[in-house]
């Protein structure tokens, strides 16, 4: 990603050392480098620890920024919510909104996204992730959000936690960094709503809930399929009512849109602009993008959810697959990682959502999928394969015009390559 005029920061990681790439960085146009173990002929700054220096750059960028900052975390929906918030606030104040790039949400991505923030930003949205307790606590203190969102709680990374409640407590760490008088936006319909709200209030936050339940502060009073796709929503907020369309179909996207509206209202944005942004925002690559696959004179729909997966997100996307008007419904599902001792049970638990969605044919990818394959044996046509390459070949052989295909799995399974192979040309 190095471009003309950039500062290259040579970080030392577990697998390699950024100092090995200094020559390539300068060849690509870097104006200078931040280094820790050598002097250079080119422009550079020598520090004891480049990771600490990156954090310091992030802290400095946050300190000079006088606008409103939003932090987003949750087991699912972080990146989509962050991107939609950016589009909503950029539409309201063009060129004065900033956000994390891609899914830069860890101990490197967060300070890097902060350091890249322009001084005159009026709004900034940062995605904050974790897979161990204590990680969010440190990152949210760098971000210092005025508004903190928890999108949803699910058993993602449960290998590193004793329970789903422990995951909820780890996500609640985002409230520790809230600025005085900050606002916490939490999912009303979650069984952990009370826990999240309690932690938020302990850190001085005003709590705003979003969801479908009657008691939610930001609530969808109606949600119906839109004629051109997506969902038409009528929502009630504490100080407004709004009708709008969510371009990406699915109940999970409706819920995310409510959190987005709550945050836009909290930072003084324009709700009408947010509604327009939601209507125009398609699914992101790996996170709901809808692709047409050409098949002779016809075509099939391929829904790209290949970036990540946990039981909640797979169930939600399968539910939407079941609503697709299609000749057949196919599901290519990759293993869910970091589920620990609960892996077999949670994989097998996907059987009911698959059957309820009316899936006609499933390709299950990875060793972890065996319990699910066993549970579904004899109930629908399926193949259990070792890797994405085999799955790609199978799908190319089986796909037909008018099929709707859901592709979803943990990123490390590599189903993004299957998507590229299918969408890149005639299947």
């Amino acid at each position: 990603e190095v471009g003309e005029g950039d500062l290259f920061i040579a970080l030392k990681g577990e697998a390699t050392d950024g100092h090995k790439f200094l020559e390539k960085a300068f060849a690509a146009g870097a104006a200078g480098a931040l280094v820790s173990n050598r002097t250079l002929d080119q422009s550079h700054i020598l520090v004891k620890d480049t990771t600490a220096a990156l954090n310091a750059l992030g802290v400095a960028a946050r300190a000079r920024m006088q606008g409103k900052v939003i932090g987003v975390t949750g087991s699912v929906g972080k990146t989509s919510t962050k991107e939609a918030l950016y589009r909503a606030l950029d539409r309201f104040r063009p060129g004065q909104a900033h956000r994390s790039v891609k899914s830069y949400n860890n101990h490197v991505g967060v300070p890097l996204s902060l350091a890249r923030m322009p001084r005159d930003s009026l709004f900034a949205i940062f995605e904050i992730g974790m897979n161990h307790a204590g990680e969010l606590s440190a990152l949210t203190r760098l971000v210092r959000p005025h508004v903190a969102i928890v999108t949803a709680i699910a058993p993602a990374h449960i290998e590193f936690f004793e329970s789903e409640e422990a995951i909820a407590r780890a996500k609640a760490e985002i409230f520790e960094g809230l600025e005085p008088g900050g606002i916490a936006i939490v999912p009303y319909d979650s069984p952990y709503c009370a826990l999240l709200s309690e932690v938020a209030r302990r850190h001085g936050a005003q709590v705003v809930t979003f969801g479908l339940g009657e008691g939610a502060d930001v609530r969808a009073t109606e949600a119906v399929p839109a004629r051109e796709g997506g969902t038409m929503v009528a929502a009630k907020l504490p100080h407004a009512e709004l009708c709008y369309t969510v371009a990406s179909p699915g109940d999970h996207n409706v819920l995310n849109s409510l959190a987005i509206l709550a945050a836009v209202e909290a930072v003084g944005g324009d709700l009408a602009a947010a509604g327009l942004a939601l209507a125009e925002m398609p699914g992101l690559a790996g996170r709901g993008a809808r692709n047409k696959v050409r098949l002779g004179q016809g075509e099939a729909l391929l829904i790209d959810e290949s970036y990540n997966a946990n039981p909640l997100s797979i169930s939600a996307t399968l539910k939407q697959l079941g609503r697709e008007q299609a000749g057949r419904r196919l599901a290519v599902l990759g293993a869910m990682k970091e589920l620990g001792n609960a892996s077999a049970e949670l994989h097998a638990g996907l059987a009911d959502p698959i059957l309820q969605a009316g899936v006609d044919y499933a390709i299950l990818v990875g060793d972890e999928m065996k319990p699910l394959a066993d549970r579904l044996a004899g109930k629908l046509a399926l193949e259990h394969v070792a890797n994405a390459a085999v799955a790609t070949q199978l799908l190319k052989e089986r796909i037909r015009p008018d099929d709707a295909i859901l592709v979803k799995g943990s990123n490390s399974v590599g189903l993004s390559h299957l998507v590229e192979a299918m969408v890149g040309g005639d299947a």
Side-chain angles (χ1 to χ4, degrees):
E1 296 182 7
V2 176
E4 197 71 30
D6 286 350
L7 172 68
F8 178 71
I9 303 175
L11 299 178
K12 293 182 178 180
E14 293 180 3
T16 190
D17 185 341
H19 292 84
K20 295 179 179 179
F21 306 103
L22 286 165
E23 289 186 12
K24 289 185 177 180
F26 283 111
L34 200 58
V35 298
S36 65
N37 64 2
R38 71 183 70 175
T39 57
L40 309 171
D41 293 333
Q42 299 95 333
S43 298
H44 67 280
I45 302 169
L46 181 64
V47 297
K48 183 179 293 186
D49 183 334
T50 51
T51 298
L54 173 59
N55 279 344
L57 285 173
V59 169
R62 175 65 183 89
R64 73 183 186 178
M65 188 266 199
Q66 300 301 306
K68 295 292 186 181
V69 176
I70 302 171
V72 182
T73 195
S75 300
V76 294
K78 295 186 292 296
T79 302
S80 298
T81 297
K82 177 259 298 181
E83 287 295 320
L85 273 168
Y86 169 75
R87 295 192 186 205
L89 294 170
D90 184 66
R91 193 182 187 104
F92 173 49
R93 290 289 184 263
Q96 293 184 290
H98 171 76
R99 91 288 206 189
S100 307
V101 178
K102 301 179 183 177
S103 293
Y104 285 12
N105 62 24
N106 64 5
H107 65 287
V108 173
V110 170
L112 181 62
S113 297
L114 281 164
R116 289 177 170 180
M117 178 170 55
R119 180 194 302 269
D120 59 354
S121 298
L122 292 180
F123 304 102
I125 310 99
F126 296 98
E127 179 178 340
I128 312 177
M130 66 91 202
N131 53 21
H132 291 83
E135 292 176 340
L136 264 176
S137 179
L139 294 175
T140 188
R141 285 181 165 88
L142 290 177
V143 173
R144 289 168 39 215
H146 298 91
V147 176
I149 302 172
V150 178
T151 58
I153 303 297
H157 313 299
I158 201 165
E159 176 182 0
F160 308 117
F161 295 90
E162 62 183 24
S163 65
E164 199 169 298
E165 179 179 324
I167 293 174
R169 293 192 180 280
K171 295 294 185 186
E173 291 174 11
I174 194 173
F175 306 132
E176 296 176 15
L178 273 171
E179 290 287 86
I183 296 174
I185 298 175
V186 303
Y188 181 81
D189 304 311
S190 168
Y192 305 104
C193 179
L195 184 157
L196 295 169
S197 301
E198 176 191 350
V199 175
R201 293 191 181 99
R202 195 185 308 152
H203 292 283
Q206 172 192 341
V207 175
V208 175
T209 59
F210 68 92
L212 304 178
E214 286 284 343
D217 298 314
V218 178
R219 182 168 67 91
T221 55
E222 287 188 71
V224 297
R227 180 178 300 175
E228 64 279 9
T231 308
M232 295 179 62
V233 184
K236 187 171 185 179
L237 293 85
H239 305 107
E241 294 187 14
L242 186 70
C243 292
Y244 60 98
T245 298
V246 182
S248 297
D251 295 345
H252 54 300
N253 289 313
V254 172
L255 286 171
N256 287 345
S257 76
L258 298 172
I260 290 158
L261 294 180
V264 168
E265 186 175 63
V267 298
D270 185 277
L271 290 173
L276 291 171
L278 288 165
E280 295 173 357
M281 181 175 169
L284 304 174
R287 297 179 175 86
R290 297 167 71 85
N291 302 286
K292 297 296 185 181
V293 180
R294 297 191 301 274
L295 298 163
Q297 298 302 309
E299 60 184 21
L301 170 66
L302 189 146
I303 304 166
D304 177 14
E305 289 274 1
S306 61
Y307 185 78
N308 214 339
N310 60 51
L312 179 62
S313 64
I314 289 186
S315 295
T317 50
L318 282 167
K319 184 176 181 180
Q320 178 55 36
L321 177 66
R323 295 171 176 167
E324 298 290 344
Q325 298 299 311
R328 297 188 306 166
R329 300 183 183 96
L330 282 62
V332 182
L333 303 179
M336 301 179 289
K337 302 295 185 177
E338 297 183 350
L339 297 182
N341 294 332
S343 178
E345 178 184 354
L346 292 173
H347 279 89
L350 296 175
D352 285 345
I354 288 172
L355 296 172
Q356 290 164 8
V359 171
D360 298 288
Y361 173 58
I363 302 175
L364 309 179
V365 187
D367 293 342
E368 296 92 335
M369 279 292 184
K370 186 177 187 308
L372 177 59
D374 292 343
R375 182 75 62 88
L376 289 172
K379 297 179 181 178
L380 79 162
L382 67 85
E383 304 274 0
H384 179 210
V385 301
N387 55 56
V390 179
T392 302
Q393 189 57 44
L394 271 176
L395 185 58
K396 285 185 174 184
E397 294 171 0
R398 303 296 176 85
I399 192 171
R400 302 176 190 165
D402 296 325
D403 283 347
I405 308 106
L406 170 65
V407 180
K408 189 163 183 63
S410 288
N411 193 37
S412 61
V413 177
L415 292 180
S416 60
H417 302 301
L418 177 148
V419 174
E420 291 171 5
M422 300 301 298
V423 176
D426 292 342

